Each structure stands twice: as C-alpha cells, then as structure tokens.
Amino acid sequence: MTVIKNLQAELSRFRLRLVAAAAFVLFCFALLVARLVYLQITQHDSLLERAETNRVTVLPIVPNRGLIVDRNGVVLASNYSAYTLEITPSKVPDLERTIDALTAVIDIQPRDRRRFKRLMEESKNFESLPIRTKLTDTEVARFAAQRFRFPGVDIKARLFRNYPLGDVGAHLLGYIGRINQVEKKAMEDWSEEDIANYRGTEYIGKLGLEQAYERELHGQTGFEEMETSAGGRAVRRLRNRPPTPGNTLHLSIDIKLQALVERLYGDRRGALVAMDPRNGEVLAFVSKPTFDPNLFVDGIDADSWKELNEDIDKPLLNRALRGTYPPGSTFKPYMAMAALNTGKRAANVVVQDNLTYSFGGRTFGSATGDRAGPKDMRLAIVTSSNVYFYSLANEMGVDMIHDQLEPFGFGRKTEIDLLGEVTGILPSTEWKRRAYKRPEQQKWYAGETISLGIGQGYNNFTMLQLATAMSTLASGGERYRPRLVREIEDVVKHVQRRTASDALSPLALRKADVDVIRNAMHDVTMEGTSRMVFAGAQYQSAGKTGTAQAVGLRAGQTYSSIKADERKRDHSLYISFAPYQAPTIALALIVENAGFGSESAAPIARRVFDYVLTGTYPSEEDIAKVRVGQVGAPIGTPRRVEDIPLPGAAASVPDASASSASAAAASVEASSPASRVPRPAVPASAVPAAIPGSAAERRLAPVAPRPNPGASR
C-alpha cells in the first residue's frame, strides 16, 4: 500500500521544532550569561569576600593574663602552661564510649567526668572542652601514639592561673572562671570593640581584683590569618597580629603583713583592714577563714566545693567587704566627735555614771567591771562608759547621730576598688520607714536610740567602713577612697600609671575638737582598756576597744546563760591609728565571738603596728599565744621582718609535665593559636556563692543580731 505524505507540511513542522530548540538553547545560554554577569560583575565583591573567608581562617589569639604583685613586687597571681586533654563533642560519634576508651590510655577520674558534663551544659556543642588538665609528659606521649583512635580528641597547651601563696589574700585576689550565661548576656551591652577583644576568651575574673580589674588584666586579643585547604587543614600563615599581654597590677598590700595577720587569727573568724590615712592605700585586707583559690583553677571538685560551701565558718564570705557587725564601743569616739561638732555636749561636761541608765521604764546596764563615778568626755572614752553615751544618744536623737556620722563613711559604700561591697546600716527615721512594711514597724521609738550610743541596736558596719572612719578621724577630717591597686603597669611600653586614691572633700572638723578625741584614744592605750597590750611599745598610738553583742538577749536572759555556745559570745573589736602625732596607719579589726576587745583584737593590732613602724616580726611563741587570745604585749624575742621568708616561698607551679609546667610566655607564643588561651577550667555552676549578691552568698552572710540595747565593753 502506498502512503502519501505531505512533505511540505512535515518540513514546516521540522523547521518549527528546530527553531524552538534553537531558541531554547539560546535562552539557556542567555540565562548562563546573565548569571555569569551577575556573579562576576554584580556580586563580584561579595563573592570574593566569601571565597577569601573559605580560603582564609581568622583565629583569635587570647593574650596572657596580667600579673598581680604586692607593693614589694612579690607575685601574687601568675600564669603557667600545661597540657590538657580536650574533646569536641560535635566531632565525637559516641561520647561515652570514647571517654571509656580514653580512660585506658589516660587516667580520667569520676570527678573529671562530672566536671566535663557540667562544662557541656554551659558550652556550645562545637567547643573544645577539657576532660583532663595538667597532663604529664608520659601521658602526652601515650596519647600521641594512639591519637588516630580518637577523632575529635586532642592535646592542647593551655595557660592556667596560679596563686603561688595559696590561701594568703584569697578574698582580695579572687580567681577566674569560665564565662557563664549571665556574663555572656551582660556582654551583649558592651561596645563592639570590647566584644571583639573577648573573642576566643573563655575565662573571666569572678571575684576580688581578678573581677574588678578584668579589663586591665585581660589584655588585647591578637589574631592569625591562616590559609586553609578545602578540607579545612592549615596550609600557611598569611599574616598575624600578636596579642598584647594584660597589664600588671601593683598593689598597696604588703603580702607578708597580710600573711602575718592571717596567722595571728589562727582558726578564729574575723576581718581586719589596715590603711594609710595619708592617701587611702590599703596595707592589709584580711578575711578569716580563707580558702585556696588554686582549687578553682581547673574546676573545683564536688567534695572540695561541698566542704567550702557547707562549712559553718563560711570561708567563701569576704568578711572585710561584706560582713557587717555592730561596732560596740568602737562607736563611742565618733559619738563624742558628733557631740562636739554639734555643740550638744562640751568635753568638760561631767555625767554621773551609776552603772545604770533608765529610760521609758527600762534599765540599760554597763559592762561587768565598769566603775561608777563622775566622768567627762575623756574619761568616758578611756573607761568606755556606757551610761555617758546612753545619755548622749538620748540628747542627740537618731537623725542627728545619722547626719553627723554618715560623712565618716558609716552606712554607705566606701567605693573601694572591689565589687560587691555592702552598705551596712546607720539607722535613721527615714531608714526605718524604708526598711519595714508594717506601719507599727516603721515608727522610730525613742528607746531605740539609747543603744545606738554604745554601738548596738540597728548599727551594723563592715571593717572596711570602720577603718575608713578611723583614717578620717586620725587625719583630722581628711578623707580618701580606699584603694588596693596603687599602680598599673603596661608591660609592653614599660610605663606605670599611678592610681592614687581619690581625695574627697575634707570634713569641717575643728582641730581642738579632734584633739579631744585623739587625746582620749591615746589615753586608752596608756591607762585604759588596751594599756597592757601596748606596754613597752616604741611608738605612741591611739585606739578604742569594743565588745559587741553577737546575739540579742531575750527578756530575763543573761549573757552568762548563752556563753556556753561559742558562736553566741560577744565579738572582740579594736580601732586604732599610729604613730599618735603623725599617723601613717589606721586599722579596724574584729575577732568573732572572742569576747573583750582588749583580749583578742587589740593584741593583733599591736603586732601590726610593730611590723609596720618598727620592722619587727613576733616570735613563734608570741604568735601561738595571740592565736588563742592568751597574751597582751609581745613575748619572746621578736625577729626582723626582712629575715622572715614569704609564706609558701618554697611552693612552685603545680606539677604537670616538666616541659609544660614552665610559665614562660615564649613557649606559649610558639604554640598554636588555641594554645595561647588561658584555660583555668572552672565551671561557673560550681561556684554560685562566688558571685557577689547571689543567693548562695546571701546564705553565707553572717546573720545580724536582733536590735537589743545591752552592755557594750
């Protein structure tokens, strides 16, 4: 059968298809050309930057943290390098199995596992986290031989913080720890420059000077631009900017004096602050008991943390900065100064002291051993007359007391260069209205004023406030903000920047009035309550003992009935300055639950003055007696300060490997960029009480006694 085709129609259809195909091909080529133009011309700069980013990796180089040294150049905080075994969780398929396998190669304890899990909870999955720190050379070599078995696990060199003197001065130095989520949130408000400077930084100051001077100690972060292959391997270094080490803090603290005071306290609790009234420099800043900040360097273990956190003596509480106490009779010189300044009572006015004072149907007593008789202002201070100051407080009233004593620094922050300072309580009618909710509680009753005169009642202050007030009185009204750091040294430029204490406007005190108080305090050391302690001193000083109630007494209860409980006994206080004519040191201290100020607190002050003014160090026999409150004036043969070795002078950097334990910055600079990051592995969750004002620290704070007017010695 013959098929008849329309060749012309088929040819037309073929041509049409050919044109459509050609148009489609041309359209595709047009799309490719357009895309090429878009990528090569329009997006050229952006894509070039992205390509460079893929080719070049910028690695932050965290700087060496600055040193902290005392006024004589003794290193109090330094750095050392050590090897750590680290895991990047995102690169490990089976984390538990990997850790189990690692245990056969390197000793990994259960506490290391627990710490690692805490770090994982606080960190991002792609971060490298340490599971073991301070490896020995043997452990490093053993792992290196089997590294191929452990993808995502590596050995890195890290910088660790070291506190060579252990627990000496721990509360003023503080320590560093891993940046927690709260701190990361706070960093969002920083400037872009500051945020950039902390890229790669994992640790930050948590307490004390480490926290207060974080920006100075941190330094400037450097960087390295590394060319990488498609697989992410480093090919070569393109350029780098070395980091700038943190600045060195030169403190006003004499660490040997600090260590002596801590020894003199022994196992007792308390605080001491000594400062130079001529400029506000703090010479000693003691809180007892203390703790070893090295425990936190690579993450405190659960047992050590539990021991510190649950210790009834509260070693984590900075008593000098945050512990508030009733001042007892150390308050009386300031009451007398206020009376003279306001004209409420002249120095020669005599008050008959019959050992009791009645007001509102209540009788206020005197301390055991007080002697009755007529007393003027000088004799009232020398004999620590309660009746004299009961009546004075009643005449002045609470608001006048507040207004006169607040300029001395009571009831407000001294603005020392530490964070977390508390204000204490200097009561007033306005304060009580703000402090209480119920109307009947907000009212100030005249009877509440009586106890204020002897430093009891609502009065509660820190030893830092008492020392600052003593400094102001010793200098005749000159005031300075207390300072722990006297100089900041730029270790690159070798330039030291003086950080002298800020001078505040002086108090308008009449010299004749100041002399009355100073003379009376001088007589306290010559014929008063501290005369036996300062017998034979090569200098003249002025002071005032204080014995303050730790707990209030209920109706019908006597002090002797609670004396059996050591923690309910009275606190022992002493304020003083020396030399009497031209003071160079003023101090305030408390020994908790130690009784009379002349028995426990004043002997410590005497040894401090001997150290500073005569360069003598007490004998071991004398130290042993002072620690238990069994001696007044020094006994035994004193030694020269320069002959006494520093505490922990034989201590060295914590033992890691012989090669990695050296703290030489040069060896760190020679390592990889990541190895230059200081890595004290302190899990933030392990130290909740470290953060000033936290709930845990509030649990540690000493409970102030309920206001109860009573005997003050």
Side-chain angles (χ1 to χ4, degrees):
M1 182 175 61
T2 304
V3 178
I4 300 176
K5 297 181 178 180
N6 189 339
L7 296 178
Q8 188 64 34
E10 290 187 3
L11 184 60
S12 296
R13 283 195 296 272
F14 173 76
R15 288 172 179 168
L16 182 61
R17 291 170 184 167
L18 184 63
V19 170
F24 178 75
V25 170
L26 289 175
F27 176 74
C28 291
F29 270 104
L31 288 178
L32 291 175
V33 170
R35 181 64 177 171
L36 184 64
V37 170
Y38 175 77
L39 295 176
Q40 292 294 327
I41 299 176
T42 307
Q43 294 294 316
H44 175 270
D45 293 339
S46 175
L47 293 175
L48 179 62
E49 181 179 349
R50 291 173 61 183
E52 282 296 308
T53 302
N54 292 333
R55 182 180 71 90
V56 178
T57 299
V58 179
L59 302 175
I61 308 175
V62 179
N64 293 346
R65 195 168 180 85
L67 304 180
I68 302 178
V69 301
D70 85 333
R71 67 187 301 119
N72 299 313
V74 178
V75 177
L76 308 180
S78 59
N79 309 300
Y80 71 95
S81 61
Y83 292 123
T84 65
L85 179 67
E86 303 197 6
I87 301 176
T88 305
S90 62
K91 297 181 180 180
V92 179
D94 191 332
L95 191 59
E96 288 299 324
R97 179 176 295 180
T98 299
I99 295 176
D100 290 338
L102 282 170
T103 304
V105 180
I106 292 178
D107 181 27
I108 298 177
Q109 297 293 324
R111 64 175 180 271
D112 298 320
R113 289 174 178 259
R114 291 193 296 268
R115 182 184 60 202
F116 181 77
K117 289 181 180 179
R118 288 196 298 267
L119 291 177
M120 284 188 60
E121 294 171 357
E122 300 165 2
S123 307
K124 297 179 181 178
N125 200 40
F126 54 80
E127 291 181 350
S128 177
L129 303 174
I131 190 168
R132 251 297 306 279
T133 59
K134 293 179 281 191
L135 303 178
T136 65
D137 279 343
T138 301
E139 290 175 317
V140 172
R142 194 159 56 229
F143 175 80
Q146 304 186 52
R147 181 178 299 185
F148 66 93
R149 296 175 48 200
F150 304 102
V153 184
D154 204 357
I155 295 286
K156 294 185 179 181
R158 299 289 192 184
L159 276 181
F160 290 85
R161 199 64 161 167
N162 180 45
Y163 303 95
L165 304 187
D167 61 1
V168 177
H171 286 101
L172 71 94
L173 294 175
Y175 53 81
I176 64 175
R178 180 177 286 272
I179 300 174
N180 58 38
Q181 294 302 319
V182 174
E183 290 159 337
K184 289 179 180 179
K185 184 70 175 176
M187 286 181 174
E188 295 177 1
D189 297 329
W190 291 7
S191 66
E192 292 185 7
E193 182 181 357
D194 289 334
I195 293 175
N197 192 41
Y198 272 76
R199 289 199 177 108
T201 298
E202 299 179 10
Y203 291 85
I204 198 169
K206 292 289 185 178
L207 274 183
L209 293 170
E210 293 276 24
Q211 178 189 32
Y213 285 86
E214 168 63 30
R215 302 295 181 89
E216 296 286 353
L217 292 167
H218 179 268
Q220 294 295 316
T221 298
F223 68 87
E224 276 188 342
E225 286 188 358
M226 301 294 296
E227 185 176 12
T228 58
S229 65
R233 295 176 62 103
V235 176
R236 62 191 176 97
R237 179 188 297 172
L238 299 178
R239 69 188 182 98
N240 74 303
R241 186 186 71 188
T244 302
N247 295 332
T248 297
L249 302 184
H250 292 262
L251 308 186
S252 58
I253 294 290
D254 184 334
I255 201 61
K256 191 180 289 188
L257 173 62
Q258 176 91 11
L260 170 62
V261 175
E262 292 184 9
R263 285 193 66 194
L264 293 172
Y265 267 90
D267 295 330
R268 299 174 297 179
R269 304 171 301 280
L272 176 146
V273 177
M275 57 190 297
D276 189 334
R278 299 171 298 179
N279 51 30
E281 291 184 355
V282 178
L283 306 176
F285 193 84
V286 175
S287 175
K288 285 285 292 183
T290 183
F291 64 94
D292 186 355
N294 290 303
L295 291 173
F296 295 90
V297 167
D298 59 347
I300 188 169
D301 62 90
D303 292 337
S304 297
W305 168 246
K306 182 178 181 181
E307 182 180 353
L308 287 173
N309 193 39
E310 298 181 1
D311 191 332
I312 191 173
D313 288 334
K314 307 174 183 65
L316 295 177
L317 174 67
N318 188 339
R319 285 169 162 82
L321 189 72
R322 299 183 59 78
T324 58
Y325 308 88
S329 292
T330 62
F331 200 60
K332 293 174 180 176
Y334 304 101
M335 286 290 298
M337 188 71 246
L340 295 175
N341 197 45
T342 58
K344 274 292 181 179
R345 184 175 291 181
N348 58 359
V349 172
V350 175
V351 173
Q352 179 62 33
D353 183 355
N354 293 323
L355 304 183
T356 60
Y357 183 80
S358 297
F359 183 87
R362 182 174 179 182
T363 299
F364 297 84
S366 296
T368 303
D370 280 1
R371 289 177 296 179
K375 296 174 182 177
D376 61 5
M377 186 174 287
R378 186 199 72 85
L379 191 58
I381 293 176
V382 172
T383 62
S384 199
S385 168
N386 281 358
V387 171
Y388 183 95
F389 290 98
Y390 285 146
S391 62
L392 178 58
N394 185 42
E395 292 176 18
M396 294 181 63
V398 60
D399 287 329
M400 180 178 290
I401 294 173
H402 174 275
D403 295 343
Q404 287 296 309
L405 271 64
E406 193 264 349
F408 281 94
F410 293 111
R412 68 180 185 185
K413 295 181 180 180
T414 65
E415 299 184 7
I416 192 174
D417 48 346
L418 287 177
L419 304 180
E421 181 183 5
V422 298
T423 59
I425 299 174
L426 179 63
S428 66
T429 53
E430 174 61 25
W431 165 83
K432 199 175 184 187
R433 281 194 294 268
R434 288 185 281 104
Y436 293 95
K437 294 182 179 179
R438 297 204 302 266
E440 63 272 20
Q441 293 177 314
Q442 294 176 339
K443 182 180 178 181
W444 185 270
Y445 298 94
E448 295 176 311
T449 307
I450 308 302
S451 294
L452 300 183
I454 63 168
Q456 294 286 170
Y458 291 104
N459 285 325
N460 268 281
F461 311 116
T462 66
M463 288 305 106
L464 177 59
Q465 290 171 325
L466 280 172
T468 303
M470 185 74 274
S471 176
T472 300
L473 186 58
S475 62
E478 297 295 328
R479 299 188 299 168
Y480 295 90
R481 289 190 177 95
R483 284 292 181 270
L484 290 164
V485 177
R486 66 191 315 204
E487 291 177 341
I488 299 176
E489 179 183 1
D490 187 319
V491 296
V492 175
K493 299 178 181 178
H494 301 290
V495 175
Q496 292 185 348
R497 184 172 77 252
R498 187 80 177 182
T499 57
S501 300
D502 297 332
L504 304 175
S505 56
L507 300 186
L509 304 178
R510 292 182 290 271
K511 184 179 182 304
D513 294 341
V514 173
D515 288 343
V516 170
I517 308 303
R518 283 166 46 97
N519 291 339
M521 294 181 68
H522 173 252
D523 289 344
V524 169
T525 67
M526 303 300 292
E527 58 184 274
T529 50
S530 63
R531 65 187 183 281
M532 300 300 295
V533 175
F534 286 89
Q538 301 176 30
Y539 50 85
Q540 292 187 338
S541 65
K544 183 69 188 77
T545 57
T547 308
Q549 288 180 336
V551 295
L553 300 180
R554 296 190 298 270
Q557 190 178 32
T558 62
Y559 177 70
S560 59
S561 66
I562 66 171
K563 193 173 182 180
D565 187 343
E566 184 266 341
R567 295 180 182 276
K568 293 182 179 180
R569 298 173 189 168
D570 292 343
H571 298 316
S572 175
L573 297 99
Y574 194 67
I575 60 172
S576 187
F577 64 87
Y580 166 64
Q581 295 297 341
T584 59
I585 178 173
L587 58 78
L589 72 144
I590 185 171
V591 184
E592 292 183 13
N593 310 118
F596 292 105
S598 58
E599 293 179 356
S600 296
I604 296 177
R606 167 69 190 271
R607 276 70 181 173
V608 172
F609 288 163
D610 286 351
Y611 178 102
V612 174
L613 302 177
T614 68
T616 57
Y617 199 95
S619 66
E620 290 300 318
E621 176 189 8
D622 187 59
I623 292 175
K625 292 289 187 180
V626 172
R627 288 161 65 98
V628 293
Q630 295 180 355
V631 68
I635 60 175
T637 304
R639 298 163 286 180
R640 296 190 307 168
V641 168
E642 55 267 27
D643 294 338
I644 304 300
L646 283 169
S652 59
V653 171
D655 184 26
S657 69
S659 59
S660 67
S662 66
S667 65
V668 179
E669 289 296 318
S671 59
S672 65
S675 72
R676 300 177 184 138
V677 184
R679 289 284 302 217
V682 184
S685 62
V687 287
I691 302 172
S694 68
E697 187 176 6
R698 288 193 295 271
R699 284 201 311 271
L700 295 174
V703 179
R706 294 178 60 190
N708 183 74
S712 181
R713 305 165 181 84

